[in-house]
Amino acid sequence: MKIPISQRLLCCADQVAQGARVADIGCDHGYLGIWLLQEGRASYVVASDLREQPLQKAVENSRLFGTSDRMEFHVADGLAAVDPDSVDTIICAGMGGDCMAHILEQAPWVRDPRYTLILQPQTSGNDLRRYLGERGFSIEAERLVRDGGFLYFTILARFGGGTPLSPGEQYLSKQLLESGSELLPEYFDRVINALTKTVEGIRRSKKEHEKLSYFETALQELLEMRKQYDSP
Ligand SMILES: C[S@@+](CC[C@H](N)C(=O)[O-])C[C@H]1O[C@@H](n2cnc3c(N)ncnc32)[C@H](O)[C@@H]1O
């Protein structure tokens, strides 16, 4: 029996190299790892989650779908239980970008170009891109996907060669712009609308806000990127 996975998780799975040894951090039900093994894309999966209950569900699912012989399971915070020598690919999906940055920061061993990082934040993507740039990770590619009325982006990153990103690039990276995705106009609209509301809200409140100039700069950059995108 094949496990069904969402378009959003498929977008992560598509970026996994053939034969990869994967750590799925925040695995929840374990669907992604099971799919990767069933498809023969991954050769081994370490499934880890902060909470016992979802992890037990992942264990049950792996039995049900016949992949438990190529999986190991841990209840742990972030990468704490992962043996660095057992994996070459780290996936984090469905958490906030700030949480992912924290998870990477707690595991200095990921600062090694042999690890491929596949990151799909639900929120705070700007914080995650800022972190990656500041810590020297380079974004190799980004992809957009629509699932259930939402747009998600998936970052493929690796340690080495990364440099700090501007506020605008933290919201929309060069790699996402170069992806040529047909969803880019909608992504632009969503980000520009959200930033406009944030900036207007802060200005209306007339209170000091330490991040006002950061949001203003990001918005200006996004508007400029959009102009160039529309008339290259
Ligand atoms: C919304 S689910 C996403 C599940 C799956 N990765 C996906 O994208 O469909 C987020 C999962 O991350 C787990 N989680 C949150 N913080 C975590 C951490 N610091 N370390 C490991 N797992 C974490 C939660 O327990 C939850 O099961």
Side-chain angles (χ1 to χ4, degrees):
M1 190 170 40
K2 287 269 170 123
I3 200 159
I5 63 169
S6 62
Q7 289 300 314
R8 176 178 69 76
L9 286 180
L10 263 181
C11 184
C12 291
D14 267 354
Q15 303 199 54
V16 173
Q18 192 63 39
R21 297 175 67 85
V22 174
D24 181 13
I25 305 304
C27 65
D28 200 356
H29 34 59
Y31 284 7
L32 178 57
I34 294 168
W35 189 93
L36 289 168
L37 290 166
Q38 283 193 323
E39 291 294 312
R41 180 72 69 97
S43 58
Y44 190 73
V45 172
V46 180
S48 193
D49 201 285
L50 191 58
R51 295 177 301 134
E52 178 74 38
Q53 220 181 342
L55 197 84
Q56 282 318 316
K57 192 75 201 156
V59 172
E60 267 175 46
N61 283 332
S62 75
R63 282 201 203 108
L64 190 65
F65 290 94
T67 56
S68 44
D69 56 329
R70 287 156 289 155
M71 291 183 87
E72 65 180 63
F73 299 90
H74 300 279
V75 174
D77 188 357
L79 285 150
V82 178
D83 171 359
D85 291 328
S86 69
V87 298
D88 52 36
T89 302
I90 294 159
I91 303 181
C92 266
M95 294 172 215
D98 45 352
C99 179
M100 292 182 186
H102 180 73
I103 286 173
L104 296 174
E105 186 61 15
Q106 295 306 303
W109 55 268
V110 302
R111 285 177 224 143
D112 182 326
R114 75 178 145 135
Y115 297 109
T116 303
L117 309 182
I118 298 172
L119 310 168
Q120 189 185 70
Q122 302 280 49
T123 55
S124 310
N126 60 315
D127 290 331
L128 178 61
R129 291 195 190 92
R130 176 173 52 236
Y131 171 80
L132 291 172
E134 279 173 357
R135 298 302 265 161
F137 291 91
S138 55
I139 295 175
E140 296 185 344
E142 286 202 31
R143 284 193 198 172
L144 276 172
V145 65
R146 189 200 303 283
D147 194 343
F150 291 96
L151 286 187
Y152 299 93
F153 58 88
T154 309
I155 298 174
L156 186 76
R158 188 179 307 283
F159 185 72
T163 50
L165 304 178
S166 70
E169 289 168 335
Q170 291 166 22
Y171 280 89
L172 203 165
S173 70
K174 188 162 69 71
Q175 292 77 8
L176 188 52
L177 208 48
E178 287 169 357
S179 70
S181 169
E182 60 187 20
L183 298 171
L184 267 170
E186 192 177 330
Y187 184 78
F188 260 120
D189 287 346
R190 290 186 187 212
V191 177
I192 288 173
N193 286 343
L195 273 169
T196 303
K197 278 192 190 140
T198 302
V199 166
E200 285 176 356
I202 297 174
R203 284 183 187 151
R204 251 198 321 274
S205 79
K206 298 201 163 62
K207 286 191 197 132
E208 287 271 309
H209 193 297
E210 55 175 359
K211 289 186 82 178
L212 176 59
S213 76
Y214 167 77
F215 293 130
E216 285 174 331
T217 307
L219 180 57
Q220 279 318 309
E221 283 184 49
L222 262 296
L223 290 169
E224 188 53 40
M225 282 187 219
R226 177 73 204 238
K227 218 191 291 173
Q228 288 182 15
Y229 176 81
D230 286 337
S231 45

